[in-house]
Amino acid sequence: MSRLRSLWQASVNATKRAIVWNSEDLLPPSEKYIFNFNSKDEVKRWHLYSDSEYGGLSSASLEITDGVAGGDTSSTGVFSGNLSLDMSEGSTWKIRRSGFCGMRSKKFDGFIDLDAYDTIAMKLRGDGRCYISTIYTENWVNSPGQEEDNSWQAFVYLPHDRWQIMKIPLDSYLPTWRGNVIEAKLEMNPARVVGMSLSVNAEGGVPGAKTGPGDFKLEVDWIKALRTL
């Protein structure tokens, strides 16, 4: 009897260990790197856009610089350029506003699943301007047949020349359509993220932020997803 009882107890203990191991194994890490600007290859994952595609005169660049103090690594990304409210002479484009630039990630191979996370964190150093963080998700909000991804946006205000870790809850991102907030109760699907972007406008933003035409500069160390709840 004692032998059977010992075998039974050993089986119970093994089952308990398996349950504990499986639960820990299934729990995702508390943070997940999405972008890390520690290599010049990171530039290849992004493309730039600006009002110059529509007759504007704004310009932007993205490069990796070495030897930057304050970052987690020796290299960081630098998104910089010039915002202009002017239009090129003879332009046939009829755009309502100029003075914008952005860096958008190229589409992921499929999508990334952030369903286990609740916050986007970015280590940034700004110039006093207000930037816009955008998350693009697989199109399911808009009507079938539209090719554009769903976009969700949040303001990122950065005081001049100081590294900060900005944390934005996913539920703080607002649904937008071509830069305008959609007045509807919609929920992001974080399991179907297809891309991200950071952009800047010459006008708008939050009170106290630098506005108007002129140079801009945003340094990016990394972008992560966090589980804080």
Side-chain angles (χ1 to χ4, degrees):
M1 275 303 276
S2 59
R3 177 176 175 78
L4 289 175
R5 185 176 182 82
S6 297
L7 290 173
W8 173 81
Q9 188 63 54
S11 176
V12 169
N13 292 339
T15 301
K16 287 181 178 179
R17 288 194 298 270
I19 291 173
V20 171
W21 182 87
N22 286 334
S23 64
E24 293 177 348
D25 186 57
L26 291 173
L27 189 66
S30 60
E31 63 179 40
K32 176 178 182 177
Y33 273 103
I34 305 174
F35 299 104
N36 197 348
F37 292 81
N38 59 358
S39 166
K40 295 188 182 298
D41 289 337
E42 184 66 25
V43 173
K44 300 175 184 177
R45 302 180 64 190
W46 298 81
H47 67 81
L48 298 168
Y49 64 90
S50 71
D51 58 33
S52 62
E53 300 172 28
Y54 309 99
L57 297 177
S58 300
S59 60
S61 66
L62 175 62
E63 59 184 0
I64 304 296
T65 60
D66 298 325
V68 178
D72 287 359
T73 63
S74 60
S75 301
T76 58
V78 179
F79 171 51
S80 62
N82 183 268
L83 298 171
S84 173
L85 299 177
D86 298 327
M87 298 292 292
S88 58
E89 187 175 350
S91 173
T92 59
W93 288 94
K94 303 293 183 182
I95 60 174
R96 291 183 296 173
R97 62 186 179 194
S98 57
F100 63 86
C101 294
M103 50 180 279
R104 176 170 175 169
S105 67
K106 296 177 181 178
K107 280 202 171 184
F108 303 126
D109 184 14
F111 54 87
I112 61 172
D113 184 354
L114 300 182
D115 196 40
Y117 302 91
D118 56 81
T119 300
I120 294 296
M122 297 174 278
K123 187 169 184 179
L124 308 168
R125 180 160 65 176
D127 54 2
R129 289 187 181 273
C130 182
Y131 291 81
I132 300 172
S133 169
T134 305
I135 297 174
Y136 301 95
T137 56
E138 187 179 55
N139 189 324
W140 64 277
V141 171
N142 297 329
S143 60
Q146 291 182 344
E147 296 182 358
E148 295 186 43
D149 303 317
N150 298 138
S151 59
W152 311 79
Q153 297 185 328
F155 284 131
V156 179
Y157 170 59
L158 297 159
H160 180 69
D161 202 28
R162 189 172 70 202
W163 283 106
Q164 284 193 314
I165 296 178
M166 305 297 296
K167 296 181 181 180
I168 310 174
L170 288 177
D171 58 13
S172 293
Y173 282 81
L174 300 177
T176 61
W177 169 247
R178 297 185 178 179
N180 297 309
V181 175
I182 299 174
E183 297 295 337
K185 291 185 178 180
L186 303 173
E187 290 187 7
M188 180 194 300
N189 182 3
R192 294 281 188 171
V193 174
V194 297
M196 293 184 172
S197 73
L198 286 167
S199 59
V200 60
N201 295 329
E203 300 176 332
V206 300
K210 178 183 176 181
T211 60
D215 294 340
F216 69 89
K217 181 180 179 181
L218 177 68
E219 295 176 79
V220 189
D221 196 353
W222 45 255
I223 301 174
K224 300 177 183 178
L226 302 180
R227 189 178 68 252
T228 65
L229 302 178

